[in-house]
Amino acid sequence: MDVIQPLIFIIMTFLLIFVFISKIPDNSSLKKPAYYLAGIVLTLTVLIIIAGLIPVLN
């Protein structure tokens, strides 16, 4: 149970980012920076959750 909740949070973060990016029009100049920002946010989220899980799993 200690591992399932962070995995669900990561999936929810990914889906939220995907929904926000899909709302940006295709011809907008914000599409590319949105993907970069989404990648940074998702990477930081995963790293923070993994750092929080290390003490739990040991």
Side-chain angles (χ1 to χ4, degrees):
M1 184 65 180
D2 291 333
V3 179
I4 293 174
Q5 188 174 6
L7 291 177
I8 292 173
F9 183 75
I10 291 171
I11 292 170
M12 288 173 51
T13 305
F14 177 75
L15 290 174
L16 185 66
I17 289 171
F18 179 75
V19 167
F20 278 137
I21 289 178
S22 67
K23 297 290 182 186
I24 299 174
D26 288 336
N27 58 359
S28 176
S29 63
L30 295 174
K31 193 83 163 182
K32 194 171 184 179
Y35 277 115
Y36 289 138
L37 187 61
I40 291 170
V41 167
L42 196 57
T43 303
L44 286 174
T45 303
V46 169
L47 289 176
I48 289 170
I49 288 176
I50 289 174
L53 281 177
I54 289 174
V56 173
L57 296 176
N58 283 338

Coordinates of all heavy atoms in Angstrom, one line a residue:
M1 N 0.8 -1.2 0.0 CA 0.0 0.0 0.0 C 0.9 1.3 0.0 O 0.5 2.3 -0.5 CB -0.9 0.0 1.2 CG -1.9 1.1 1.2 SD -3.0 1.0 -0.2 CE -4.0 2.5 0.1
D2 N 2.1 1.1 0.6 CA 2.9 2.3 0.6 C 3.4 2.7 -0.7 O 3.8 3.9 -0.9 CB 4.1 2.1 1.6 CG 3.7 1.9 3.0 OD1 2.7 2.5 3.4 OD2 4.4 1.3 3.8
V3 N 3.5 1.8 -1.7 CA 4.0 2.1 -3.0 C 2.9 2.5 -4.0 O 3.1 3.2 -4.9 CB 4.8 0.9 -3.5 CG1 5.4 1.2 -4.9 CG2 6.0 0.6 -2.5
I4 N 1.7 2.0 -3.8 CA 0.6 2.2 -4.7 C 0.2 3.6 -4.8 O -0.1 4.2 -5.9 CB -0.5 1.2 -4.4 CG1 -0.1 -0.2 -4.7 CG2 -1.7 1.6 -5.3 CD1 -1.1 -1.2 -4.3
Q5 N 0.1 4.3 -3.6 CA -0.4 5.6 -3.6 C 0.5 6.6 -4.4 O 0.0 7.4 -5.1 CB -0.6 6.1 -2.1 CG -1.3 7.4 -2.0 CD -1.5 7.8 -0.6 OE1 -1.1 7.1 0.3 NE2 -2.2 8.9 -0.3
P6 N 1.8 6.6 -4.2 CA 2.7 7.4 -5.0 C 2.6 7.1 -6.5 O 2.7 8.1 -7.3 CB 4.1 7.2 -4.5 CG 3.9 6.7 -3.1 CD 2.6 5.9 -3.2
L7 N 2.4 5.9 -6.9 CA 2.3 5.6 -8.3 C 1.0 6.1 -8.9 O 1.0 6.6 -10.0 CB 2.3 4.0 -8.5 CG 3.7 3.4 -8.2 CD1 3.6 1.9 -8.4 CD2 4.7 3.9 -9.2
I8 N -0.1 6.1 -8.1 CA -1.3 6.7 -8.6 C -1.2 8.2 -8.7 O -1.7 8.8 -9.6 CB -2.5 6.3 -7.6 CG1 -2.8 4.8 -7.7 CG2 -3.7 7.2 -7.9 CD1 -3.8 4.4 -6.7
F9 N -0.4 8.8 -7.8 CA -0.2 10.3 -7.8 C 0.6 10.6 -9.1 O 0.3 11.6 -9.8 CB 0.6 10.7 -6.6 CG 0.8 12.2 -6.5 CD1 -0.3 13.1 -6.2 CD2 2.0 12.8 -6.8 CE1 -0.1 14.4 -6.2 CE2 2.2 14.1 -6.8 CZ 1.2 15.0 -6.4
I10 N 1.6 9.8 -9.4 CA 2.4 10.1 -10.6 C 1.5 10.0 -11.9 O 1.6 10.8 -12.8 CB 3.6 9.1 -10.7 CG1 4.6 9.4 -9.6 CG2 4.3 9.2 -12.1 CD1 5.7 8.4 -9.5
I11 N 0.7 8.9 -11.9 CA -0.2 8.8 -13.1 C -1.2 9.9 -13.2 O -1.5 10.5 -14.3 CB -1.0 7.4 -13.0 CG1 0.0 6.3 -13.1 CG2 -2.1 7.3 -14.0 CD1 -0.6 4.9 -12.8
M12 N -1.7 10.4 -12.0 CA -2.7 11.5 -12.1 C -2.0 12.8 -12.5 O -2.5 13.6 -13.3 CB -3.3 11.7 -10.7 CG -4.3 10.7 -10.3 SD -4.9 10.8 -8.6 CE -5.4 12.4 -8.5
T13 N -0.7 13.0 -12.1 CA 0.1 14.2 -12.6 C 0.3 14.1 -14.1 O 0.1 15.1 -14.7 CB 1.4 14.2 -11.8 OG1 1.2 14.2 -10.4 CG2 2.2 15.4 -12.2
F14 N 0.6 12.9 -14.6 CA 0.8 12.8 -16.0 C -0.5 13.1 -16.8 O -0.4 13.8 -17.8 CB 1.3 11.4 -16.3 CG 1.5 11.1 -17.8 CD1 2.6 11.6 -18.5 CD2 0.6 10.4 -18.5 CE1 2.7 11.4 -19.8 CE2 0.7 10.1 -19.8 CZ 1.8 10.6 -20.5
L15 N -1.6 12.6 -16.3 CA -2.9 12.8 -17.0 C -3.3 14.3 -16.9 O -3.8 14.8 -17.9 CB -4.0 11.9 -16.4 CG -3.8 10.4 -16.7 CD1 -4.9 9.7 -15.9 CD2 -3.9 10.2 -18.2
L16 N -3.0 14.9 -15.8 CA -3.3 16.4 -15.7 C -2.5 17.2 -16.7 O -3.0 18.1 -17.3 CB -3.1 16.8 -14.3 CG -3.5 18.2 -13.9 CD1 -5.0 18.4 -14.0 CD2 -3.0 18.6 -12.5
I17 N -1.2 16.9 -16.8 CA -0.4 17.6 -17.7 C -0.8 17.3 -19.1 O -0.9 18.2 -20.0 CB 1.1 17.2 -17.5 CG1 1.6 17.7 -16.2 CG2 2.0 17.6 -18.6 CD1 3.0 17.2 -15.8
F18 N -1.2 16.1 -19.4 CA -1.6 15.8 -20.8 C -2.9 16.5 -21.2 O -3.0 17.0 -22.3 CB -1.8 14.2 -20.9 CG -2.3 13.8 -22.2 CD1 -1.5 13.8 -23.3 CD2 -3.7 13.5 -22.4 CE1 -1.9 13.4 -24.6 CE2 -4.1 13.1 -23.7 CZ -3.3 13.0 -24.7
V19 N -3.8 16.6 -20.2 CA -5.1 17.4 -20.5 C -4.8 18.8 -20.7 O -5.3 19.4 -21.7 CB -6.1 17.2 -19.3 CG1 -7.2 18.1 -19.4 CG2 -6.6 15.7 -19.3
F20 N -3.9 19.4 -19.9 CA -3.6 20.9 -20.1 C -2.9 21.1 -21.4 O -3.2 22.1 -22.1 CB -2.7 21.4 -19.0 CG -3.5 21.8 -17.7 CD1 -3.1 21.4 -16.5 CD2 -4.7 22.4 -17.8 CE1 -3.8 21.7 -15.4 CE2 -5.4 22.8 -16.7 CZ -5.0 22.4 -15.5
I21 N -2.0 20.2 -21.8 CA -1.3 20.4 -23.1 C -2.3 20.2 -24.3 O -2.2 20.9 -25.3 CB -0.1 19.5 -23.2 CG1 1.0 20.0 -22.3 CG2 0.5 19.4 -24.6 CD1 2.2 19.1 -22.2
S22 N -3.2 19.3 -24.1 CA -4.1 19.1 -25.2 C -5.1 20.2 -25.4 O -5.6 20.4 -26.5 CB -4.9 17.8 -25.0 OG -5.8 17.9 -23.9
K23 N -5.2 21.1 -24.4 CA -6.1 22.2 -24.5 C -5.4 23.4 -25.3 O -6.1 24.4 -25.7 CB -6.5 22.7 -23.2 CG -7.4 21.7 -22.4 CD -8.7 21.6 -23.0 CE -9.6 20.6 -22.2 NZ -10.8 20.3 -22.8
I24 N -4.1 23.4 -25.5 CA -3.4 24.4 -26.2 C -3.6 24.2 -27.7 O -3.5 23.1 -28.2 CB -1.9 24.4 -25.8 CG1 -1.6 24.6 -24.4 CG2 -1.1 25.4 -26.7 CD1 -0.2 24.4 -23.9
P25 N -4.0 25.2 -28.4 CA -4.2 25.1 -29.8 C -2.9 24.6 -30.6 O -1.8 24.9 -30.1 CB -4.6 26.5 -30.3 CG -5.0 27.2 -29.1 CD -4.3 26.6 -27.9
D26 N -3.1 23.9 -31.6 CA -1.9 23.3 -32.4 C -1.0 24.4 -33.0 O 0.2 24.2 -33.1 CB -2.4 22.4 -33.5 CG -3.0 21.1 -32.9 OD1 -2.6 20.7 -31.7 OD2 -3.8 20.4 -33.5
N27 N -1.6 25.5 -33.4 CA -0.8 26.5 -34.1 C -0.2 27.5 -33.1 O 0.4 28.5 -33.5 CB -1.7 27.3 -35.1 CG -2.9 27.9 -34.5 OD1 -3.1 27.8 -33.3 ND2 -3.7 28.5 -35.3
S28 N -0.3 27.3 -31.8 CA 0.2 28.2 -30.8 C 1.7 28.0 -30.6 O 2.2 26.9 -30.7 CB -0.5 28.0 -29.5 OG 0.0 28.8 -28.5
S29 N 2.3 29.1 -30.3 CA 3.8 29.0 -30.1 C 4.1 28.5 -28.7 O 5.2 28.3 -28.3 CB 4.4 30.4 -30.3 OG 3.9 31.3 -29.3
L30 N 3.0 28.3 -27.9 CA 3.2 27.9 -26.5 C 3.3 26.4 -26.4 O 3.6 25.8 -25.3 CB 2.1 28.4 -25.6 CG 2.0 29.9 -25.4 CD1 0.8 30.2 -24.6 CD2 3.2 30.4 -24.7
K31 N 3.0 25.7 -27.5 CA 3.0 24.2 -27.4 C 4.3 23.6 -27.1 O 4.4 22.7 -26.2 CB 2.5 23.7 -28.8 CG 2.1 22.2 -28.8 CD 0.6 22.1 -28.3 CE 0.1 20.8 -28.7 NZ -1.3 20.6 -28.3
K32 N 5.4 24.0 -27.7 CA 6.7 23.4 -27.5 C 7.2 23.7 -26.0 O 7.6 22.8 -25.3 CB 7.7 23.9 -28.5 CG 9.0 23.1 -28.5 CD 9.8 23.5 -29.7 CE 11.1 22.7 -29.8 NZ 11.9 23.1 -31.0
P33 N 7.1 25.0 -25.6 CA 7.5 25.3 -24.2 C 6.6 24.5 -23.2 O 7.1 24.1 -22.1 CB 7.4 26.8 -24.0 CG 7.4 27.3 -25.4 CD 6.9 26.3 -26.3
A34 N 5.4 24.3 -23.5 CA 4.5 23.5 -22.6 C 5.0 22.1 -22.4 O 5.0 21.5 -21.3 CB 3.1 23.5 -23.1
Y35 N 5.5 21.5 -23.5 CA 6.0 20.1 -23.4 C 7.3 20.1 -22.6 O 7.5 19.2 -21.8 CB 6.3 19.6 -24.8 CG 5.1 19.0 -25.5 CD1 4.6 19.5 -26.6 CD2 4.5 17.8 -25.0 CE1 3.5 19.0 -27.3 CE2 3.4 17.3 -25.6 CZ 2.9 17.9 -26.7 OH 1.8 17.3 -27.3
Y36 N 8.2 21.1 -22.7 CA 9.4 21.2 -21.9 C 9.0 21.3 -20.4 O 9.6 20.7 -19.6 CB 10.3 22.3 -22.3 CG 10.9 22.1 -23.7 CD1 11.0 23.1 -24.6 CD2 11.5 20.9 -24.0 CE1 11.6 23.0 -25.8 CE2 12.1 20.7 -25.2 CZ 12.2 21.7 -26.1 OH 12.8 21.5 -27.3
L37 N 8.1 22.3 -20.1 CA 7.7 22.5 -18.7 C 7.0 21.2 -18.2 O 7.3 20.9 -17.0 CB 6.8 23.7 -18.7 CG 6.4 24.2 -17.3 CD1 7.6 24.6 -16.5 CD2 5.4 25.3 -17.4
A38 N 6.2 20.6 -19.0 CA 5.6 19.3 -18.5 C 6.6 18.3 -18.2 O 6.5 17.5 -17.2 CB 4.6 18.9 -19.5
G39 N 7.6 18.2 -19.0 CA 8.7 17.2 -18.7 C 9.4 17.5 -17.5 O 9.7 16.6 -16.7
I40 N 9.7 18.7 -17.2 CA 10.4 19.1 -16.0 C 9.5 18.9 -14.8 O 10.0 18.3 -13.8 CB 10.8 20.6 -16.1 CG1 11.9 20.8 -17.1 CG2 11.2 21.1 -14.7 CD1 12.2 22.3 -17.4
V41 N 8.2 19.2 -14.8 CA 7.3 19.0 -13.7 C 7.2 17.5 -13.4 O 7.2 17.1 -12.3 CB 6.0 19.6 -14.0 CG1 4.9 19.2 -13.0 CG2 6.1 21.2 -14.0
L42 N 7.0 16.7 -14.5 CA 6.8 15.3 -14.3 C 8.1 14.6 -13.7 O 8.1 13.8 -12.8 CB 6.4 14.6 -15.6 CG 5.9 13.2 -15.5 CD1 4.6 13.2 -14.6 CD2 5.5 12.7 -16.9
T43 N 9.3 15.1 -14.2 CA 10.6 14.5 -13.7 C 10.7 14.9 -12.2 O 11.1 14.0 -11.4 CB 11.7 15.1 -14.5 OG1 11.5 14.7 -15.9 CG2 13.0 14.5 -14.1
L44 N 10.5 16.1 -11.9 CA 10.6 16.5 -10.5 C 9.7 15.8 -9.6 O 10.0 15.4 -8.5 CB 10.4 18.0 -10.4 CG 11.6 18.9 -10.9 CD1 11.2 20.4 -10.8 CD2 12.8 18.7 -10.1
T45 N 8.4 15.6 -10.1 CA 7.5 14.9 -9.3 C 7.9 13.4 -9.0 O 7.9 13.0 -7.9 CB 6.1 14.8 -10.0 OG1 5.7 16.2 -10.2 CG2 5.0 14.1 -9.2
V46 N 8.4 12.8 -10.0 CA 8.9 11.4 -9.9 C 10.1 11.3 -8.9 O 10.1 10.5 -8.1 CB 9.2 10.8 -11.3 CG1 9.9 9.5 -11.1 CG2 7.9 10.6 -12.1
L47 N 11.0 12.3 -9.1 CA 12.2 12.3 -8.2 C 11.9 12.5 -6.8 O 12.4 11.9 -5.9 CB 13.2 13.3 -8.7 CG 13.9 13.0 -10.1 CD1 14.8 14.1 -10.5 CD2 14.7 11.7 -10.0
I48 N 11.0 13.4 -6.5 CA 10.6 13.7 -5.1 C 9.9 12.5 -4.5 O 10.1 12.2 -3.4 CB 9.7 15.0 -5.1 CG1 10.5 16.2 -5.4 CG2 9.0 15.1 -3.7 CD1 9.7 17.5 -5.6
I49 N 9.0 11.9 -5.3 CA 8.3 10.7 -4.8 C 9.2 9.6 -4.5 O 9.2 8.9 -3.5 CB 7.1 10.3 -5.7 CG1 6.0 11.4 -5.5 CG2 6.6 8.9 -5.4 CD1 4.9 11.2 -6.5
I50 N 10.2 9.3 -5.4 CA 11.2 8.3 -5.2 C 12.0 8.6 -4.0 O 12.3 7.7 -3.2 CB 12.0 8.1 -6.5 CG1 11.2 7.5 -7.6 CG2 13.3 7.3 -6.2 CD1 11.9 7.4 -8.9
A51 N 12.4 9.8 -3.8 CA 13.2 10.2 -2.6 C 12.4 10.0 -1.4 O 13.0 9.6 -0.3 CB 13.6 11.7 -2.7
G52 N 11.1 10.2 -1.4 CA 10.3 9.9 -0.2 C 10.1 8.4 0.0 O 9.8 8.0 1.1
L53 N 10.1 7.6 -1.0 CA 9.9 6.2 -0.9 C 11.2 5.4 -0.4 O 11.0 4.3 0.1 CB 9.5 5.6 -2.2 CG 8.0 5.8 -2.6 CD1 7.7 5.2 -4.0 CD2 7.1 5.2 -1.6
I54 N 12.3 6.0 -0.6 CA 13.6 5.3 -0.2 C 13.6 4.9 1.3 O 13.9 3.8 1.6 CB 14.8 6.1 -0.7 CG1 14.9 6.1 -2.2 CG2 16.1 5.5 0.0 CD1 16.0 6.9 -2.7
P55 N 13.2 5.8 2.2 CA 13.2 5.4 3.6 C 12.1 4.4 3.9 O 12.3 3.6 4.8 CB 13.0 6.7 4.3 CG 13.3 7.8 3.4 CD 13.1 7.3 2.0
V56 N 11.0 4.5 3.2 CA 9.9 3.5 3.5 C 10.3 2.1 3.0 O 9.9 1.1 3.7 CB 8.6 4.0 2.7 CG1 7.5 3.0 2.9 CG2 8.2 5.4 3.3
L57 N 11.0 2.0 1.9 CA 11.3 0.7 1.4 C 12.4 0.0 2.0 O 12.6 -1.2 1.9 CB 11.5 0.8 -0.1 CG 10.3 1.2 -1.0 CD1 10.7 1.3 -2.4 CD2 9.2 0.2 -0.8
N58 N 13.2 0.8 2.8 CA 14.4 0.2 3.4 C 14.0 -0.5 4.7 O 13.2 -0.4 5.4 CB 15.5 1.2 3.7 CG 16.3 1.5 2.4 OD1 16.3 0.6 1.5 ND2 16.9 2.6 2.3

